Amino acid sequence: MVEMRTDTPGTRLRDALSVTTASARLQAALTAGTRPDESYIEVLVERCGVEPDFFVRDMLTWALTRHDPALTVAAVLPQLRSASAQARSQALHTLSKIGDPATGAAITVDLLHDENVEVARAAWRTAAGLVPAGHEAELAEELVSELGRGDRETQRSLSRALAVLGAAAETVVEDAASSQDQAVSAHAVATLAIMADPDEGFDAAIAEAKRVVALRGAPTVKEQ
């Protein structure tokens, strides 16, 4: 006996998001957001975890934000515990776009220190935007332990997250600026510069910070 497949809006969307052409998948995600349907939510969340194209992933997230926030959040939150780094990262990205403060508590310490840098970056950004009132300093303590990690883009992401926390992060970042670890110290000094002037370019800030830290450790030349 051949099992008959139920043809529903959700199954049609799943099929459309499984085609090989990225432009066709992009159009399918756009359509799902333009004409929302509750049956799309699970399909969109599922696809976020495996979609290889950045632009399609971004459209999938946009489509999810067009659906009922409560239903979408309920479908997205379990993805934070997924074994797939992409699923965790995309779930965090989606939560940041929905912007429900109640979801801030779901961003765990493990996510903030995730071994996958894309997940960690998404967690920093999302946590800084959704941190519950009164917990900013606590979050800053966790974030500051990541100073010095990764490449330019990773460090810039962390600096921006700390800058969002504002005054609550100043003390711990200032303390980190005195670290014996030059990478941590330079990153902290650059972060303080960005916190003081959000228009400060990160490249200029980190270059100046590295110069300052290097000079700090240079031997003093005594006058004859």
Side-chain angles (χ1 to χ4, degrees):
M1 180 177 178
V2 178
E3 183 180 349
M4 299 296 291
R5 195 186 75 148
T6 304
D7 190 25
T8 67
T11 56
R12 289 195 294 273
L13 176 61
R14 181 175 280 106
D15 289 344
L17 290 173
S18 299
V19 299
T20 57
T21 308
S23 59
R25 299 196 304 274
L26 186 72
Q27 183 60 50
L30 174 62
T31 300
T34 304
R35 294 192 288 274
D37 185 297
E38 288 184 11
S39 67
Y40 292 163
I41 296 175
E42 181 182 349
V43 179
L44 292 167
V45 170
E46 175 187 294
R47 187 65 196 180
C48 279
V50 297
E51 172 55 50
D53 186 272
F54 170 81
F55 296 104
V56 177
R57 290 199 303 272
D58 210 39
M59 188 64 76
L60 291 168
T61 294
W62 172 80
L64 282 167
T65 66
R66 298 277 295 170
H67 287 76
D68 183 294
L71 295 176
T72 301
V73 166
V76 168
L77 286 177
Q79 297 300 303
L80 296 178
R81 301 185 296 275
S82 172
S84 163
Q86 181 172 308
R88 298 196 302 278
S89 177
Q90 285 300 122
L92 286 162
H93 182 56
T94 301
L95 292 176
S96 74
K97 294 299 183 182
I98 293 173
D100 181 356
T103 61
I107 305 171
T108 63
V109 170
D110 286 344
L111 287 168
L112 294 174
H113 303 301
D114 200 286
E115 63 180 14
N116 182 281
V117 71
E118 293 303 321
V119 176
R121 286 176 58 187
W124 302 338
R125 180 178 64 252
T126 307
L130 300 177
V131 60
H135 292 267
E136 293 87 353
E138 180 183 340
L139 175 59
E141 289 278 3
E142 292 294 341
L143 294 184
V144 81
S145 68
E146 292 287 311
L147 286 169
R149 175 180 177 180
D151 60 11
R152 167 185 172 277
E153 287 302 316
T154 300
Q155 293 192 6
R156 182 170 66 171
S157 294
L158 183 59
S159 292
R160 286 178 171 176
L162 285 163
V164 168
L165 297 177
E170 284 182 5
T171 300
V172 291
V173 177
E174 287 171 353
D175 289 345
S178 301
S179 172
Q180 295 302 305
D181 185 320
Q182 288 200 354
V184 171
S185 180
H187 192 184
V189 171
T191 300
L192 289 170
I194 290 173
M195 293 171 74
D197 180 9
D199 293 329
E200 174 90 21
F202 182 77
D203 288 342
I206 195 67
E208 175 62 14
K210 287 179 178 179
R211 186 187 71 82
V212 170
V213 170
L215 288 175
R216 184 193 301 162
T220 302
V221 179
K222 294 182 179 180
E223 294 184 3
Q224 299 295 323

